[in-house]
Every structure is written in C-alpha cells, then in structure tokens.
Amino acid sequence: MTRALVLGGGGPVGIAWESGLVAGLAQAGVDLAQADFTMGTSAGSFVGARLALGSDPRTLADPIIADRIPGDERRPAGGGGPPPDLSKLMQLMGEAQGGVRNPAEVRAEIGAFALAAQTMDEAAFIESFGKSFSTLAVDAWPERGFACTAVDAETGAFQLWTKDSGVGVVRAVASSCSVPGVYPPVTLNGRRYIDGGMRSSTNADMALGHELVVVIAVRLGTAGGSLGERIAARFNEEVESLKHGGATVVTITPDDASLGAFGVNLMDFRRRPDAARAGLAQGLVYAADLKPYWS
C-alpha cells in the first residue's frame, strides 16, 4: 500500500502545531516520516521538508516547545514595523476559492499585491528562513518522495515543486511559505512565487494515486465566516477527488485544546510553544485511531 502525507498551511503557529502532532504520533508508534510521498503547503512545506530530510519525528517539536527557535525565526512578520493590512488579501483569497471568477486570474491579482507590498527583501527572507536548513547544498532535495506547492506571482499558475523541478528545497519551501503582503515573493528559475495556500490550504488533490492519504489540515478549524466556508468546501472537493481515485483518506484537524492554544492569529510567533504542546498531546491520543490505517 502506498501512503501519502499531506500537510496544510497555517503560518508559524501551524508549523508548531503540526510539528507537535507529528511528534506525538511518532512517540505513540505512528511514524508519518515513513510516508512514500510527503507534500506540504506553506507551513506544511516546512514541516514536510524536515521529515523528508530525515529529522527524527519524535523530537520534531522539541526546540519549539523549549522556545529555542533555530536561526532568526522569531523575527516579526514582514521584518518589523506595524502589522501589514491583509484585508485585501483575505478578500481575494475568498474570491479565488469561491468559484465566481477564474481562480488563476484572482491569484495573479494576489501576486500583484504581493509584489507591490513593503516587506523585508528577498535576500533577508531567504537568509533568515534558510538557517533551519543551513547545512544543505543550494540544489539539495530530499531523497524520499517530497513535494511542495507555490503560485506564480505574475500569472497565478499553480506550481508543484518536486525533485524533477530542478530547484533547491530551501527556496522551494520558502516560496511555499511566502505569505503575500507579509513576506516577499521568492525567485526560482527566473520567476517569482508566492504561498501555495493561495490555491488551497492543503492542495490535497495533488496526492491522487496513493492508496492511503493522511491529511493534516490546520486552517479548517480556524478560518471563520465566508472564507472559512469556502476553504472547507474546497477541502471537501479535494477529499472526494482522492476517494474517487480509490484512496482511503484520513483527515486530522486541530482539537479544541489546540484551537485554544492557537489564539486568533496564526502568524503570532509567541503562540508557537503552546501550539506545539497542544499538537503533541493531540498526537499522543490520536495515534490509537490512526495506527490501524498506517500500520
């Protein structure tokens, strides 16, 4: 049986919670690092890359829980100054996932917003982001099956980065984590790319063809209002497409304790230790339910 792991987006808080969840599952006997294919979007690309590169899943959350973040990852979003106004981004994300307009056209508008935004420059973003992968060669890519998602900032076209794409995992993951208006678009092969979550918070349909797909979705339980409804509807469509292709799909979303640990802002770095602890506790409990599928 081929097993796929899909890790969704959710900002720095999502990275912490997913790391804790994966660690808790591993400590209780379910090692998601053994997936045949791991795919991440935004926060999930960071966690997925660490797993695919060989990090011990049992200790994945330890530095976060101890509040020892590698490199300069506690840097305020955007590099300091007042919080960016993301109301325009929220509006466009709703339109992109609402089915009223051409999604690629709307994503191109999101890309234009990202390209015009005042953020830290790209070199500073890569330098701070890349410290978590500082020992890797520029063109390194995990040997175990790994992919991450991004969107072309000019055309709005969806991009799935794989080993065959000919890019390094550090920049690929950075592009997947480039939240428009917060971080700069990232250059790969002469083009600029933004967060893959602009297509979908999980992009789970990209795991089509695998017999078991475990989807860890951060944002289904955190985005309220019409945008939350559209995210959930899009996710349900992705799950149905996987099931139609013959897959068994297991979805893991934050429990009530985790949602309480998140707070209202998934970009709030101060929430990371509590989110990681909550994920760890949830993983330890949920492992018994997941083990019959994963084993």
Side-chain angles (χ1 to χ4, degrees):
M1 178 176 67
T2 59
R3 301 176 295 182
L5 171 63
V6 174
L7 295 149
V13 174
I15 289 177
W17 177 75
E18 289 182 336
S19 298
L21 181 75
V22 168
L25 289 168
Q27 290 175 23
V30 179
D31 184 0
L32 294 182
Q34 297 305 310
D36 300 290
F37 174 67
T38 299
M39 189 197 72
T41 290
S42 198
S45 72
F46 184 94
V47 178
R50 291 193 66 196
L51 287 176
L53 287 163
S55 293
D56 184 345
R58 296 168 299 178
T59 60
L60 201 64
D62 285 3
I64 303 173
I65 291 173
D67 199 23
R68 296 193 307 272
I69 311 303
D72 196 20
E73 290 184 75
R74 14 171 140 247
R75 176 193 298 267
D85 181 1
L86 300 182
S87 55
K88 178 67 172 179
L89 174 62
M90 295 300 103
Q91 173 199 330
L92 290 173
M93 285 178 65
E95 292 182 19
Q97 301 201 19
V100 177
R101 298 172 56 197
N102 183 311
E105 179 182 300
V106 182
R107 292 196 298 266
E109 292 181 26
I110 295 174
F113 167 79
L115 290 165
Q118 297 297 312
T119 66
M120 70 174 76
D121 64 33
E122 184 179 349
F125 178 47
I126 295 296
E127 181 182 2
S128 63
F129 184 92
K131 286 179 181 176
S132 298
F133 306 105
S134 59
T135 61
L136 298 179
V138 173
D139 59 351
W141 196 268
E143 289 301 317
R144 184 177 290 274
F146 173 73
C148 61
T149 66
V151 166
D152 188 303
E154 293 184 10
T155 67
F158 178 69
Q159 175 67 48
L160 184 69
W161 299 118
T162 69
K163 187 173 185 178
D164 294 334
S165 300
V167 300
V169 69
V170 174
R171 278 189 169 268
V173 170
S175 74
S176 190
C177 292
S178 176
V179 180
V182 178
Y183 299 119
V186 174
T187 305
L188 291 110
N189 294 336
R191 302 196 64 81
R192 309 281 305 278
Y193 291 89
I194 58 174
D195 195 322
M198 299 305 103
R199 176 183 182 263
S200 159
S201 64
T202 54
N203 296 295
D205 50 325
M206 294 295 105
L208 189 66
H210 294 276
E211 295 164 280
L212 173 65
V213 183
V214 173
V215 185
I216 298 177
V218 180
R219 297 196 62 210
L220 294 184
T222 60
S226 60
L227 177 58
E229 292 174 2
R230 289 169 181 171
I231 289 174
R234 175 58 185 263
F235 178 74
N236 289 335
E237 291 174 3
E238 294 172 4
V239 169
E240 288 305 310
S241 73
L242 291 171
K243 290 180 177 178
H244 185 72
T248 297
V249 182
V250 179
T251 301
I252 308 175
T253 57
D255 60 13
D256 289 342
S258 295
L259 292 175
F262 288 1
V264 297
N265 180 9
L266 294 178
M267 299 300 292
D268 186 348
F269 282 71
R270 296 169 300 179
R271 290 280 183 169
R272 288 165 55 100
D274 285 346
R277 291 187 193 97
L280 179 66
Q282 183 175 347
L284 288 169
V285 171
Y286 188 72
D289 292 327
L290 184 56
K291 191 173 293 185
Y293 295 95
W294 199 254
S295 299

Short mmCIF file of all heavy atoms in Angstrom, two decimals, residues 54-113:
data_model
loop_
_atom_site.label_atom_id
_atom_site.label_comp_id
_atom_site.label_asym_id
_atom_site.label_seq_id
_atom_site.Cartn_x
_atom_site.Cartn_y
_atom_site.Cartn_z
N GLY A 54 14.94 13.76 6.93
CA GLY A 54 15.46 12.83 7.91
C GLY A 54 15.42 13.26 9.36
O GLY A 54 15.98 12.58 10.22
N SER A 55 14.74 14.37 9.67
CA SER A 55 14.61 14.75 11.07
C SER A 55 13.85 13.67 11.85
O SER A 55 12.93 13.05 11.31
CB SER A 55 13.87 16.09 11.20
OG SER A 55 14.63 17.14 10.66
N ASP A 56 14.22 13.47 13.09
CA ASP A 56 13.55 12.48 13.93
C ASP A 56 12.15 13.01 14.26
O ASP A 56 12.03 14.04 14.94
CB ASP A 56 14.35 12.26 15.22
CG ASP A 56 13.77 11.17 16.11
OD1 ASP A 56 12.61 10.77 15.91
OD2 ASP A 56 14.50 10.73 17.01
N PRO A 57 11.10 12.34 13.81
CA PRO A 57 9.75 12.87 14.08
C PRO A 57 9.42 12.95 15.55
O PRO A 57 8.63 13.79 15.97
CB PRO A 57 8.84 11.88 13.34
CG PRO A 57 9.64 10.63 13.20
CD PRO A 57 11.06 11.09 13.05
N ARG A 58 10.03 12.09 16.37
CA ARG A 58 9.72 12.07 17.80
C ARG A 58 10.18 13.35 18.51
O ARG A 58 9.63 13.72 19.55
CB ARG A 58 10.37 10.85 18.46
CG ARG A 58 9.85 9.52 17.96
CD ARG A 58 10.72 8.38 18.44
NE ARG A 58 12.10 8.52 17.94
CZ ARG A 58 13.10 7.69 18.21
NH1 ARG A 58 12.89 6.66 19.02
NH2 ARG A 58 14.31 7.89 17.71
N THR A 59 11.19 14.01 17.95
CA THR A 59 11.73 15.21 18.60
C THR A 59 11.49 16.47 17.76
O THR A 59 12.09 17.51 18.03
CB THR A 59 13.23 15.05 18.85
OG1 THR A 59 13.91 14.85 17.59
CG2 THR A 59 13.51 13.85 19.75
N LEU A 60 10.61 16.37 16.79
CA LEU A 60 10.42 17.47 15.83
C LEU A 60 10.02 18.77 16.51
O LEU A 60 10.43 19.85 16.08
CB LEU A 60 9.36 17.06 14.80
CG LEU A 60 9.36 17.81 13.47
CD1 LEU A 60 10.64 17.55 12.70
CD2 LEU A 60 8.15 17.39 12.63
N ALA A 61 9.24 18.66 17.57
CA ALA A 61 8.73 19.87 18.23
C ALA A 61 9.58 20.33 19.41
O ALA A 61 9.30 21.38 19.99
CB ALA A 61 7.30 19.63 18.70
N ASP A 62 10.60 19.58 19.76
CA ASP A 62 11.36 19.90 20.97
C ASP A 62 11.90 21.33 21.01
O ASP A 62 11.76 22.03 22.03
CB ASP A 62 12.51 18.91 21.16
CG ASP A 62 12.04 17.54 21.64
OD1 ASP A 62 10.80 17.36 21.76
OD2 ASP A 62 12.88 16.65 21.87
N PRO A 63 12.53 21.83 19.93
CA PRO A 63 13.06 23.20 20.00
C PRO A 63 11.96 24.25 20.16
O PRO A 63 12.17 25.28 20.77
CB PRO A 63 13.79 23.37 18.65
CG PRO A 63 14.02 21.99 18.15
CD PRO A 63 12.87 21.18 18.65
N ILE A 64 10.79 23.96 19.58
CA ILE A 64 9.68 24.92 19.67
C ILE A 64 9.11 24.93 21.08
O ILE A 64 8.86 25.99 21.67
CB ILE A 64 8.60 24.59 18.63
CG1 ILE A 64 9.18 24.57 17.23
CG2 ILE A 64 7.45 25.60 18.72
CD1 ILE A 64 8.21 24.08 16.16
N ILE A 65 8.90 23.75 21.64
CA ILE A 65 8.37 23.66 22.99
C ILE A 65 9.32 24.31 23.99
O ILE A 65 8.90 24.97 24.94
CB ILE A 65 8.09 22.19 23.36
CG1 ILE A 65 6.91 21.66 22.52
CG2 ILE A 65 7.81 22.03 24.85
CD1 ILE A 65 6.66 20.18 22.68
N ALA A 66 10.61 24.14 23.75
CA ALA A 66 11.62 24.75 24.63
C ALA A 66 11.84 26.22 24.30
O ALA A 66 12.64 26.88 24.96
CB ALA A 66 12.94 23.99 24.51
N ASP A 67 11.12 26.70 23.28
CA ASP A 67 11.25 28.09 22.83
C ASP A 67 12.67 28.41 22.39
O ASP A 67 13.18 29.50 22.61
CB ASP A 67 10.82 29.06 23.92
CG ASP A 67 10.50 30.45 23.35
OD1 ASP A 67 10.18 30.53 22.16
OD2 ASP A 67 10.57 31.44 24.10
N ARG A 68 13.31 27.41 21.77
CA ARG A 68 14.63 27.62 21.17
C ARG A 68 14.45 27.46 19.67
O ARG A 68 14.54 26.38 19.12
CB ARG A 68 15.65 26.62 21.69
CG ARG A 68 15.95 26.72 23.17
CD ARG A 68 17.19 25.91 23.53
NE ARG A 68 17.09 24.52 23.07
CZ ARG A 68 16.54 23.54 23.79
NH1 ARG A 68 16.01 23.80 24.97
NH2 ARG A 68 16.50 22.31 23.33
N ILE A 69 14.16 28.56 18.99
CA ILE A 69 13.86 28.53 17.57
C ILE A 69 15.15 28.71 16.78
O ILE A 69 15.88 29.68 16.98
CB ILE A 69 12.86 29.64 17.18
CG1 ILE A 69 11.67 29.62 18.14
CG2 ILE A 69 12.40 29.49 15.74
CD1 ILE A 69 10.95 28.30 18.20
N PRO A 70 15.49 27.76 15.85
CA PRO A 70 16.73 27.88 15.08
C PRO A 70 16.80 29.20 14.32
O PRO A 70 15.79 29.70 13.81
CB PRO A 70 16.66 26.69 14.11
CG PRO A 70 15.72 25.74 14.76
CD PRO A 70 14.73 26.57 15.50
N GLY A 71 17.99 29.75 14.24
CA GLY A 71 18.21 30.93 13.41
C GLY A 71 17.46 32.13 13.93
O GLY A 71 17.44 32.44 15.11
N ASP A 72 16.77 32.84 13.03
CA ASP A 72 16.13 34.11 13.36
C ASP A 72 14.63 34.00 13.13
O ASP A 72 14.00 34.93 12.68
CB ASP A 72 16.73 35.21 12.47
CG ASP A 72 16.39 36.61 12.99
OD1 ASP A 72 16.05 36.77 14.17
OD2 ASP A 72 16.48 37.54 12.19
N GLU A 73 14.04 32.83 13.46
CA GLU A 73 12.65 32.60 13.11
C GLU A 73 11.66 33.35 13.98
O GLU A 73 10.47 33.34 13.70
CB GLU A 73 12.33 31.10 13.14
CG GLU A 73 12.98 30.34 12.02
CD GLU A 73 12.56 28.88 12.04
OE1 GLU A 73 11.42 28.60 11.64
OE2 GLU A 73 13.36 28.05 12.45
N ARG A 74 12.14 34.03 15.05
CA ARG A 74 11.17 34.82 15.79
C ARG A 74 11.08 36.23 15.25
O ARG A 74 10.41 37.07 15.82
CB ARG A 74 11.47 34.88 17.29
CG ARG A 74 12.75 34.45 17.74
CD ARG A 74 13.04 34.73 19.19
NE ARG A 74 13.75 33.61 19.75
CZ ARG A 74 13.23 32.82 20.67
NH1 ARG A 74 12.04 33.06 21.13
NH2 ARG A 74 13.89 31.81 21.13
N ARG A 75 11.77 36.50 14.17
CA ARG A 75 11.67 37.80 13.50
C ARG A 75 10.20 38.14 13.27
O ARG A 75 9.42 37.32 12.78
CB ARG A 75 12.39 37.71 12.15
CG ARG A 75 12.27 38.99 11.31
CD ARG A 75 12.73 38.69 9.88
NE ARG A 75 14.11 38.28 9.84
CZ ARG A 75 15.14 39.09 9.63
NH1 ARG A 75 14.92 40.37 9.49
NH2 ARG A 75 16.36 38.61 9.58
N PRO A 76 9.75 39.36 13.60
CA PRO A 76 8.36 39.71 13.36
C PRO A 76 8.00 39.57 11.89
O PRO A 76 8.83 39.82 11.01
CB PRO A 76 8.27 41.18 13.81
CG PRO A 76 9.43 41.36 14.74
CD PRO A 76 10.51 40.46 14.22
N ALA A 77 6.78 39.17 11.61
CA ALA A 77 6.34 39.02 10.22
C ALA A 77 6.58 40.31 9.46
O ALA A 77 6.20 41.39 9.88
CB ALA A 77 4.86 38.65 10.18
N GLY A 78 7.23 40.19 8.29
CA GLY A 78 7.50 41.35 7.48
C GLY A 78 8.76 42.09 7.87
O GLY A 78 9.15 43.04 7.22
N GLY A 79 9.41 41.68 8.96
CA GLY A 79 10.67 42.29 9.33
C GLY A 79 10.55 43.44 10.30
O GLY A 79 11.46 44.21 10.49
N GLY A 80 9.40 43.60 10.94
CA GLY A 80 9.24 44.66 11.92
C GLY A 80 8.25 45.71 11.43
O GLY A 80 7.67 45.61 10.35
N GLY A 81 8.05 46.75 12.22
CA GLY A 81 7.10 47.78 11.86
C GLY A 81 5.68 47.35 12.17
O GLY A 81 5.43 46.30 12.76
N PRO A 82 4.69 48.18 11.78
CA PRO A 82 3.30 47.87 12.08
C PRO A 82 2.84 46.63 11.33
O PRO A 82 3.36 46.31 10.25
CB PRO A 82 2.55 49.12 11.60
CG PRO A 82 3.45 49.73 10.56
CD PRO A 82 4.85 49.43 11.03
N PRO A 83 1.85 45.90 11.86
CA PRO A 83 1.35 44.72 11.16
C PRO A 83 0.80 45.10 9.79
O PRO A 83 0.17 46.15 9.64
CB PRO A 83 0.23 44.21 12.08
CG PRO A 83 0.52 44.82 13.41
CD PRO A 83 1.19 46.13 13.13
N PRO A 84 1.03 44.27 8.77
CA PRO A 84 0.53 44.60 7.44
C PRO A 84 -0.99 44.49 7.39
O PRO A 84 -1.60 43.71 8.12
CB PRO A 84 1.18 43.54 6.54
CG PRO A 84 1.47 42.40 7.46
CD PRO A 84 1.79 43.02 8.79
N ASP A 85 -1.62 45.28 6.52
CA ASP A 85 -3.07 45.22 6.32
C ASP A 85 -3.35 44.14 5.29
O ASP A 85 -3.04 44.29 4.10
CB ASP A 85 -3.58 46.58 5.82
CG ASP A 85 -5.10 46.58 5.61
OD1 ASP A 85 -5.73 45.53 5.87
OD2 ASP A 85 -5.63 47.61 5.17
N LEU A 86 -3.92 43.03 5.74
CA LEU A 86 -4.15 41.89 4.86
C LEU A 86 -5.62 41.75 4.47
O LEU A 86 -6.04 40.71 3.97
CB LEU A 86 -3.68 40.60 5.54
CG LEU A 86 -2.19 40.55 5.90
CD1 LEU A 86 -1.85 39.20 6.53
CD2 LEU A 86 -1.31 40.82 4.69
N SER A 87 -6.41 42.82 4.67
CA SER A 87 -7.84 42.74 4.33
C SER A 87 -8.04 42.49 2.83
O SER A 87 -8.92 41.73 2.43
CB SER A 87 -8.56 44.01 4.76
OG SER A 87 -7.94 45.17 4.21
N LYS A 88 -7.21 43.12 2.00
CA LYS A 88 -7.30 42.90 0.56
C LYS A 88 -6.97 41.46 0.21
O LYS A 88 -7.63 40.83 -0.62
CB LYS A 88 -6.33 43.85 -0.16
CG LYS A 88 -6.30 43.69 -1.69
CD LYS A 88 -7.61 44.11 -2.33
CE LYS A 88 -7.49 44.14 -3.85
NZ LYS A 88 -8.78 44.52 -4.49
N LEU A 89 -5.96 40.90 0.88
CA LEU A 89 -5.59 39.51 0.64
C LEU A 89 -6.75 38.58 1.01
O LEU A 89 -7.07 37.65 0.26
CB LEU A 89 -4.35 39.15 1.46
CG LEU A 89 -3.92 37.68 1.44
CD1 LEU A 89 -3.55 37.25 0.03
CD2 LEU A 89 -2.77 37.45 2.40
N MET A 90 -7.38 38.82 2.16
CA MET A 90 -8.49 37.96 2.58
C MET A 90 -9.63 38.01 1.58
O MET A 90 -10.26 36.99 1.25
CB MET A 90 -8.98 38.40 3.96
CG MET A 90 -7.98 38.22 5.10
SD MET A 90 -7.46 36.50 5.35
CE MET A 90 -5.85 36.50 4.59
N GLN A 91 -9.90 39.20 1.07
CA GLN A 91 -10.97 39.35 0.07
C GLN A 91 -10.65 38.55 -1.19
O GLN A 91 -11.49 37.80 -1.70
CB GLN A 91 -11.14 40.83 -0.29
CG GLN A 91 -12.11 41.06 -1.45
CD GLN A 91 -11.92 42.44 -2.09
OE1 GLN A 91 -11.52 43.40 -1.42
NE2 GLN A 91 -12.22 42.54 -3.38
N LEU A 92 -9.42 38.68 -1.68
CA LEU A 92 -9.04 37.99 -2.90
C LEU A 92 -8.98 36.48 -2.70
O LEU A 92 -9.35 35.71 -3.59
CB LEU A 92 -7.70 38.52 -3.40
CG LEU A 92 -7.70 39.95 -3.95
CD1 LEU A 92 -6.28 40.42 -4.25
CD2 LEU A 92 -8.55 40.04 -5.23
N MET A 93 -8.52 36.04 -1.54
CA MET A 93 -8.50 34.60 -1.27
C MET A 93 -9.90 34.01 -1.31
O MET A 93 -10.13 32.92 -1.83
CB MET A 93 -7.84 34.32 0.09
CG MET A 93 -6.34 34.48 0.10
SD MET A 93 -5.62 34.18 1.74
CE MET A 93 -6.01 32.45 1.99
N GLY A 94 -10.86 34.76 -0.77
CA GLY A 94 -12.24 34.31 -0.83
C GLY A 94 -12.75 34.20 -2.25
O GLY A 94 -13.44 33.25 -2.62
N GLU A 95 -12.37 35.17 -3.08
CA GLU A 95 -12.79 35.14 -4.48
C GLU A 95 -12.12 33.99 -5.23
O GLU A 95 -12.74 33.33 -6.06
CB GLU A 95 -12.44 36.47 -5.15
CG GLU A 95 -13.27 37.64 -4.65
CD GLU A 95 -12.92 38.93 -5.37
OE1 GLU A 95 -12.34 38.86 -6.47
OE2 GLU A 95 -13.23 40.01 -4.84
N ALA A 96 -10.85 33.75 -4.93
CA ALA A 96 -10.13 32.68 -5.62
C ALA A 96 -10.73 31.32 -5.34
O ALA A 96 -10.72 30.42 -6.20
CB ALA A 96 -8.65 32.70 -5.22
N GLN A 97 -11.25 31.14 -4.13
CA GLN A 97 -11.80 29.84 -3.75
C GLN A 97 -13.32 29.80 -3.85
O GLN A 97 -13.93 28.77 -3.57
CB GLN A 97 -11.36 29.48 -2.33
CG GLN A 97 -9.85 29.43 -2.20
CD GLN A 97 -9.36 28.62 -1.01
OE1 GLN A 97 -10.07 27.81 -0.46
NE2 GLN A 97 -8.11 28.83 -0.64
N GLY A 98 -13.92 30.91 -4.29
CA GLY A 98 -15.37 30.97 -4.33
C GLY A 98 -15.99 30.49 -5.62
O GLY A 98 -17.21 30.28 -5.69
N GLY A 99 -15.18 30.35 -6.67
CA GLY A 99 -15.71 29.82 -7.93
C GLY A 99 -16.45 30.83 -8.78
O GLY A 99 -17.00 30.47 -9.83
N VAL A 100 -16.50 32.09 -8.37
CA VAL A 100 -17.23 33.10 -9.14
C VAL A 100 -16.37 33.63 -10.29
O VAL A 100 -16.85 33.83 -11.40
CB VAL A 100 -17.67 34.26 -8.23
CG1 VAL A 100 -18.37 35.35 -9.05
CG2 VAL A 100 -18.58 33.75 -7.13
N ARG A 101 -15.07 33.80 -10.02
CA ARG A 101 -14.14 34.29 -11.03
C ARG A 101 -13.10 33.22 -11.34
O ARG A 101 -12.94 32.25 -10.59
CB ARG A 101 -13.44 35.56 -10.53
CG ARG A 101 -14.36 36.72 -10.26
CD ARG A 101 -13.59 37.86 -9.60
NE ARG A 101 -12.44 38.27 -10.39
CZ ARG A 101 -11.44 39.01 -9.91
NH1 ARG A 101 -11.43 39.38 -8.65
NH2 ARG A 101 -10.43 39.35 -10.69
N ASN A 102 -12.39 33.39 -12.44
CA ASN A 102 -11.30 32.48 -12.80
C ASN A 102 -10.26 32.49 -11.69
O ASN A 102 -9.65 33.53 -11.40
CB ASN A 102 -10.67 32.94 -14.12
CG ASN A 102 -9.58 32.00 -14.60
OD1 ASN A 102 -8.68 31.64 -13.84
ND2 ASN A 102 -9.63 31.62 -15.85
N PRO A 103 -10.02 31.34 -11.03
CA PRO A 103 -9.10 31.32 -9.88
C PRO A 103 -7.70 31.80 -10.23
O PRO A 103 -7.07 32.52 -9.44
CB PRO A 103 -9.11 29.85 -9.46
CG PRO A 103 -10.41 29.30 -9.94
CD PRO A 103 -10.66 30.02 -11.24
N ALA A 104 -7.17 31.40 -11.39
CA ALA A 104 -5.82 31.82 -11.76
C ALA A 104 -5.74 33.34 -11.92
O ALA A 104 -4.75 33.97 -11.56
CB ALA A 104 -5.38 31.12 -13.04
N GLU A 105 -6.81 33.93 -12.44
CA GLU A 105 -6.86 35.38 -12.62
C GLU A 105 -6.82 36.08 -11.26
O GLU A 105 -6.09 37.06 -11.08
CB GLU A 105 -8.14 35.75 -13.37
CG GLU A 105 -8.33 37.24 -13.59
CD GLU A 105 -9.64 37.52 -14.31
OE1 GLU A 105 -9.82 37.02 -15.45
OE2 GLU A 105 -10.49 38.22 -13.73
N VAL A 106 -7.58 35.55 -10.31
CA VAL A 106 -7.58 36.14 -8.97
C VAL A 106 -6.22 35.94 -8.31
O VAL A 106 -5.71 36.85 -7.64
CB VAL A 106 -8.71 35.54 -8.11
CG1 VAL A 106 -8.72 36.21 -6.73
CG2 VAL A 106 -10.06 35.70 -8.78
N ARG A 107 -5.64 34.77 -8.47
CA ARG A 107 -4.32 34.52 -7.88
C ARG A 107 -3.26 35.45 -8.46
O ARG A 107 -2.32 35.85 -7.76
CB ARG A 107 -3.91 33.06 -8.07
CG ARG A 107 -4.76 32.07 -7.27
CD ARG A 107 -4.11 30.71 -7.18
NE ARG A 107 -3.94 30.06 -8.47
CZ ARG A 107 -4.79 29.20 -9.00
NH1 ARG A 107 -5.91 28.88 -8.35
NH2 ARG A 107 -4.54 28.63 -10.17
N ALA A 108 -3.41 35.82 -9.73
CA ALA A 108 -2.49 36.79 -10.32
C ALA A 108 -2.65 38.15 -9.65
O ALA A 108 -1.67 38.89 -9.45
CB ALA A 108 -2.73 36.90 -11.83
N GLU A 109 -3.87 38.52 -9.28
CA GLU A 109 -4.09 39.76 -8.55
C GLU A 109 -3.46 39.68 -7.15
O GLU A 109 -2.90 40.66 -6.66
CB GLU A 109 -5.59 40.05 -8.43
CG GLU A 109 -6.25 40.38 -9.77
CD GLU A 109 -7.73 40.68 -9.62
OE1 GLU A 109 -8.16 41.10 -8.52
OE2 GLU A 109 -8.48 40.47 -10.59
N ILE A 110 -3.55 38.51 -6.54
CA ILE A 110 -2.88 38.31 -5.25
C ILE A 110 -1.37 38.46 -5.43
O ILE A 110 -0.68 39.07 -4.61
CB ILE A 110 -3.22 36.93 -4.67
CG1 ILE A 110 -4.71 36.84 -4.33
CG2 ILE A 110 -2.37 36.65 -3.42
CD1 ILE A 110 -5.17 35.46 -3.88
N GLY A 111 -0.85 37.90 -6.53
CA GLY A 111 0.57 38.03 -6.82
C GLY A 111 1.00 39.47 -7.00
O GLY A 111 2.06 39.88 -6.51
N ALA A 112 0.16 40.26 -7.68
CA ALA A 112 0.46 41.68 -7.87
C ALA A 112 0.49 42.40 -6.52
O ALA A 112 1.36 43.26 -6.28
CB ALA A 112 -0.57 42.31 -8.80
N PHE A 113 -0.45 42.04 -5.66
CA PHE A 113 -0.46 42.59 -4.31
C PHE A 113 0.83 42.24 -3.58
O PHE A 113 1.44 43.09 -2.90
CB PHE A 113 -1.68 42.03 -3.57
CG PHE A 113 -1.69 42.26 -2.09
CD1 PHE A 113 -2.06 43.48 -1.55
CD2 PHE A 113 -1.32 41.24 -1.21
CE1 PHE A 113 -2.06 43.69 -0.17
CE2 PHE A 113 -1.32 41.43 0.16
CZ PHE A 113 -1.69 42.66 0.68
#
